[in-house]
Amino acid sequence: MATQTVPSMVAHDSMFDAVLARLDAAAKTMNLSEEVSKVLRNPQKLVKVSLPVTMDNGKVEVFEGYRCIHSTYLGPSKGGIRYAMDVSQDEVMALAAWMSFKCAVANLPYGGGKGGVKCDPRKLSVGELERITRAYTKAMADVFGVDRDIPAPDMGTSAREMAWILDEFNKIHGDDLPGVVTGKPIVLGGSLGRDAATGRGVMVCTKVALKKLNIDPKNATAAVQGFGNVGGHAARLLSEQGIKIVAISDHTGAFYNENGIDIKAALDYAAKNDRVLKGFKGGTEITNEDLLTCKCDVLVPAALQNVITEEIAHKIHAKIVVEGANGPTVPEADHVMREKNILVVPDILANSGGVTVSYFEWVQNKMGYYWSEKEVNDKHDANMELAFASVWENSNTFKTSMRIAAYITALKKIEQAAKLKGFF
Ligand code: NAD
């Protein structure tokens, strides 16, 4: 395992640069102390590992794995593990920093971390995925820990991978600590409500944002990009609120229906078709750009980063953008959307429902006492509404966008904790 020194300068146009651009804007607006700003511009720890894994054909492949811990001022680091081909040092650094800010916005006693393995999970067998996950856990055995650094699922990983991590970690340490990962299967100590939590948070934020603009959900329309964990649950929960979903998409295609897509039928279709929408007949096929720019009240990017470019932002018709994905908007597009008076509920607020219920899972694991799904959902909804309200308040106080206000909300707490703990 090699622990790398983090470069103080990162390449232009990187995802981490996008974090720094927002951090700097918020720091200036709120007058953040220079020392705290300097500290937060550099992740606390960055681990890069090489994972030799025997494939089903008997040959050995070497996979690249990362774990970045951005900050631990508010508590142990918390953040998902991503399996995708574009996993990189820059990406995990950005995602870990967003976790620091997200946990602070959501009032959770956590710092921020993120990890990933560069691989295409769709091209790997279950056995290969298990061996990669166990090799990654072994390499991170001294990084993870129930009160140190707690992973969770992200793109390309799910409860299944969390079960392997839990098992491998506890075998190595000779413990039986369910709280070392969250987002695990219920029977292994997972929380009811965790699976749908990020989509649920998107739904709660959408409802509050619609109320702020005096739009009745029953008269509202929405387009959702991505039909995985976040997008699928968000589309379902939004439609259950009476919002008409006019467009949905995944990596295999995008579909539009001005009369509203039957989301239950789309979910059933995907469940029977290798979890993809390709061939779905409940709407006309459009492009993913058409989806982002279609006529609707609410746009939910819930798939990838950097999809709302400056050019796309100029073409967006939605009045509200609720960022289910991490980093779907490039910094240049922020200005365009602000000029167009689009209410953007930023990722570090809008998708914090997942980590909020991950926190509830960790709390239940520590207590050894488990809550009903209703209890989890009620606590989640109340926490999301509170987080939205404090970001909204800072947006008015500092006369700034919800995004910069969310950073300010987070930075105020992190600054206070960092100063109390001190530097040496
Ligand atoms: P997932 O792997 O379950 O789903 C991703 C979805 O995006 C899939 O439907 C996939 O087909 C689609 N997609 C991929 N490429 C696409 C493209 N080019 N165009 C349209 N759709 C495309 O992942 P997820 O867990 O739903 O995560 C989605 C985003 O939400 C990521 O940015 C992730 O970091 C973020 N997020 C996830 C959680 C969580 O709890 N799962 C929490 C917070 C943030």
Side-chain angles (χ1 to χ4, degrees), residues 38-76:
K38 202 190 289 178
V39 169
L40 295 178
R41 292 176 69 83
N42 294 281
Q44 202 171 299
K45 187 191 269 186
L46 179 62
V47 180
K48 182 182 179 194
V49 290
S50 298
L51 309 169
V53 174
T54 306
M55 308 305 281
D56 289 349
N57 63 10
K59 292 195 174 141
V60 172
E61 290 291 338
V62 180
F63 293 89
E64 210 173 286
Y66 294 91
R67 186 74 183 167
C68 177
I69 291 167
H70 173 259
S71 83
T72 53
Y73 290 111
L74 293 175

Side-chain angles (χ1 to χ4, degrees), residues 82 102 114 122 153-156 194 198 225-231 249-251 288 302-304 324-326 351 354:
R82 183 175 279 202
K102 192 182 300 183
K114 203 79 179 192
R122 290 188 206 108
D154 192 70
M155 259 171 94
R194 171 62 185 90
T198 310
Q225 183 185 50
F227 210 61
N229 177 284
V230 183
S249 74
D250 69 8
H251 68 283
N288 255 294
L304 304 169
N326 282 310
N351 68 35

Side-chain angles (χ1 to χ4, degrees), residues 106-176:
N107 268 312
L108 309 177
Y110 286 141
K114 203 79 179 192
V117 177
K118 187 174 173 152
C119 67
D120 184 349
R122 290 188 206 108
K123 295 196 176 137
L124 296 164
S125 71
V126 174
E128 287 166 342
L129 282 166
E130 179 172 354
R131 292 194 289 281
I132 291 170
T133 306
R134 289 187 185 273
Y136 177 72
T137 308
K138 208 166 174 197
M140 298 296 170
D142 296 333
V143 178
F144 298 159
V146 71
D147 287 315
R148 190 182 290 175
D149 177 43
I150 309 129
D154 192 70
M155 259 171 94
T157 59
S158 64
R160 180 182 65 181
E161 284 74 18
M162 298 308 112
W164 293 330
I165 294 176
L166 177 73
D167 183 59
E168 192 64 32
F169 183 88
N170 281 330
K171 270 183 185 148
I172 292 167
H173 292 276
D175 291 325
D176 191 3

Side-chain angles (χ1 to χ4, degrees), residues 186 189-198 200-201 204 353-364 367 369-384:
I186 304 292
S191 176
L192 294 168
R194 171 62 185 90
D195 194 38
T198 310
R200 187 172 182 88
V204 172
V355 69
T356 299
V357 177
S358 270
Y359 165 61
F360 295 159
E361 180 175 329
W362 184 74
V363 168
Q364 292 171 80
M367 290 191 299
Y369 177 73
Y370 291 83
W371 303 333
S372 70
E373 187 165 358
K374 181 175 181 321
E375 211 169 341
V376 171
N377 287 345
D378 288 351
K379 283 183 166 65
H380 162 275
D381 295 0
N383 206 64
M384 286 302 295

Side-chain angles (χ1 to χ4, degrees), residues 13-26:
D13 281 342
S14 74
M15 260 174 93
F16 193 66
D17 269 356
V19 177
L20 296 183
R22 272 76 175 247
L23 173 64
D24 289 345

